[in-house]
Amino acid sequence: MAEQAKQAGQTKRPGRAGRTGGAGQAGGAGQAKQTGRAGQGKPTEQHERAVENERAEQHERAARIERPAHGISRRRLLGTTGAAGAAGLVAGGAAGAFGAEAVRDAPAALAGVGSATVPFHGTHQAGIAQPAQAHGHLVAFDLAPGADRKAAAALLRRWSATAAELTAGEAPKGDDTGIALDAGPSSLTVTFGFGRTFFDRTGLTAKRPAALEPLPDFTADALDRKRSDGDLWIQIGADDSLVAFHALRLLQKQAAGTARVRWQMNGFNRSPGATARPLTGRNLMGQIDGTNNPKPSDPDFASRVFVPDRDGDWMAGGSYAVVRRIRMLLDSWDHLSLDRQEKVIGRRKSDGAPLSGGTETTPADLNKIEKDGSLAIAGDAHIRVAAPESNRGAAMLRRAFSYHDGFLDDGAPDAGLLFVAWQADPLKGFVPVQRKLDRGDGLSRFLRHEASGLYAVPGGCAPGEYVGQRLLEG
């Protein structure tokens, strides 16, 4: 083997002398050493063996670096390993041979991330019943002075057409930014809603739903009104950050002259394929979050989440979104013992199982008594206070993103949850549950509600139509 390596090194030496960087530089250095010693006499056996070993290692490194990159385009990567796999391969190539080999053997769970699509058209808008993506943007707009119902209709028409193109993985017509060139749609969804003030500014006050009445004040609220409410609201989600930002940027540009950004918030979740199998996500407190969410397979899912189809109701098939920016007091939370954290939530942190026993999906037994006479799930535990059986059946579909916006002046992380709750009627969903949490939830001591909004989200539209058309042209 050593002799073969030596012959290979002698054969390749002239061609590699002109290379720069990496293995080529190492080869040039080895040649310089050998030539210098030749003038002093025959090289020692120890030195010759060292040169041979060095050349063999160089060949192996070069082969490992070149194999994954040969003949693979970015577009082919997106179609086979998905956006996450492609990004990892680029990083692996830059890091060296070990990174490239590790990415090449990535688990199949990452496949198809970039190519996955969610249809824009349909009975309901996308971005409600689908699982939350890895990256999200929430943004609210106020109509510009002088923008009327006609201008609002034209804006929704532009926005809907662009969202339909992007979610299908098509290049948008007109002036594109090029932010997401070569990327697939990555499960992109774009969801549009109307705030209470939208109806006044477009002369549609008579069509404003009763369910869009302002949310009541809660004692734990510390709301920043500049980051709350808004005439128009958009939720963007995608499993690739550039795809999500691309949609945000295009929609913001198309609003010029008609609407201006009131506030924007950015969030994230676990990336697809990051775990060996699909799991319920965790929030920034480390807790599994979303176990008891209504599921599309539930017989009453549609009645809980979507407005029923009534004749002449422009909200038929739509839903109401409650948006709350909830900062978590993570420094205080992290100082609690594991046992105390689990009692505050009512679930084990390791696997999400209720403290009454079983697995994550086992229904919590709120009546179970421990041997010492105490409740297995404390009276102020979050899952007890929020449970439908504690709120006369009130429930909502929670579809949240975590956020981290740096650090506050005292060094505490400005981080938490971009809470988005979907329901057919917020007065029967979010409001009664939040009132109960406001009065007796042990978790509320570690939370601050800092922004809030309520939006009427119309049903979906058919090809050639736009979201909100039944309202704006009815």
Side-chain angles (χ1 to χ4, degrees), residues 125-145:
Q125 288 196 62
I128 300 175
Q130 293 80 17
Q133 300 95 323
H135 306 276
H137 299 294
L138 308 180
V139 57
F141 293 79
D142 284 335
L143 290 172

Side-chain angles (χ1 to χ4, degrees), residues 111-455:
V113 171
S115 60
T117 60
V118 180
F120 176 76
H121 300 107
T123 303
H124 313 295
Q125 288 196 62
I128 300 175
Q130 293 80 17
Q133 300 95 323
H135 306 276
H137 299 294
L138 308 180
V139 57
F141 293 79
D142 284 335
L143 290 172
D148 56 9
R149 175 177 171 179
K150 184 178 180 180
L155 176 59
L156 266 298
R157 188 179 294 109
R158 293 194 298 272
W159 276 354
S160 296
T162 297
E165 293 167 347
L166 295 178
T167 55
E170 300 172 1
K173 298 179 179 66
D175 181 25
D176 187 22
T177 61
I179 294 170
L181 282 178
D182 300 324
S186 302
S187 299
L188 174 69
T189 59
V190 183
T191 317
F192 302 103
F194 304 127
R196 177 179 174 80
T197 51
F198 176 83
F199 298 85
D200 297 325
R201 297 182 180 179
T202 54
L204 294 168
T205 305
K207 291 191 174 184
R208 181 167 55 209
L212 210 53
E213 288 298 308
L215 297 174
D217 294 329
F218 301 102
T219 58
D221 286 355
L223 304 182
D224 179 356
R225 290 299 174 186
K226 293 181 180 179
R227 294 192 294 182
S228 301
D229 306 317
D231 297 339
L232 292 158
W233 175 73
I234 303 177
Q235 173 192 254
I236 297 170
D239 284 327
D240 179 79
S241 56
L242 285 180
V243 169
F245 180 80
H246 182 220
L248 174 68
R249 179 62 180 142
L250 283 180
L251 297 176
Q252 182 266 332
K253 287 179 64 179
Q254 291 178 351
T258 304
R260 52 195 175 194
V261 174
R262 177 181 178 89
W263 57 259
Q264 180 200 326
M265 301 175 192
N266 311 313
F268 57 91
N269 283 305
R270 176 179 284 154
S271 297
T275 55
R277 57 185 176 83
L279 297 170
T280 309
R282 292 183 184 269
N283 59 35
L284 299 188
M285 287 179 163
Q287 299 292 149
I288 291 177
D289 194 351
T291 301
N292 278 343
N293 243 347
K295 298 173 179 58
S297 58
D298 295 342
D300 60 351
F301 179 83
S303 62
R304 288 178 181 271
V305 177
F306 297 112
V307 176
D309 190 356
R310 293 186 290 262
D311 291 341
D313 188 350
W314 66 268
M315 272 295 290
S319 188
Y320 290 91
V322 173
V323 180
R324 308 279 280 185
R325 184 182 190 273
I326 305 174
R327 181 163 61 90
M328 296 175 171
L329 307 185
L330 294 177
D331 284 348
S332 299
W333 177 258
D334 290 345
H335 277 96
L336 294 183
S337 66
L338 175 61
D339 179 68
R340 182 60 186 145
Q341 288 181 354
E342 292 180 336
K343 288 181 178 178
V344 169
I345 300 297
R347 292 184 179 275
R348 290 200 299 259
K349 196 170 187 176
S350 60
D351 59 5
L355 296 185
S356 54
T359 65
E360 179 193 346
T361 56
T362 302
D365 183 356
L366 301 179
N367 298 315
K368 183 175 181 179
I369 304 297
E370 300 286 22
K371 293 180 180 179
D372 62 0
S374 64
L375 288 166
I377 298 175
D380 65 347
H382 181 70
I383 67 168
R384 174 186 291 278
V385 182
E389 50 266 48
S390 301
N391 294 278
R392 298 182 179 180
M396 52 197 155
L397 175 64
R398 290 161 291 136
R399 191 180 188 276
F401 294 92
S402 294
Y403 76 88
H404 181 214
D405 291 339
F407 296 86
L408 303 174
D409 292 341
D410 61 358
D414 186 4
L417 199 68
L418 300 181
F419 174 89
V420 184
W422 299 93
Q423 59 260 283
D425 186 345
L427 299 179
K428 297 178 180 179
F430 173 79
V431 172
V433 175
Q434 185 58 34
R435 277 178 171 156
K436 192 74 173 287
L437 293 171
D438 200 41
R439 292 194 298 265
D441 180 22
L443 182 61
S444 64
R445 297 192 297 274
F446 303 94
L447 306 175
R448 293 291 182 272
H449 292 245
E450 297 183 338
S452 179
L454 171 60
Y455 307 96

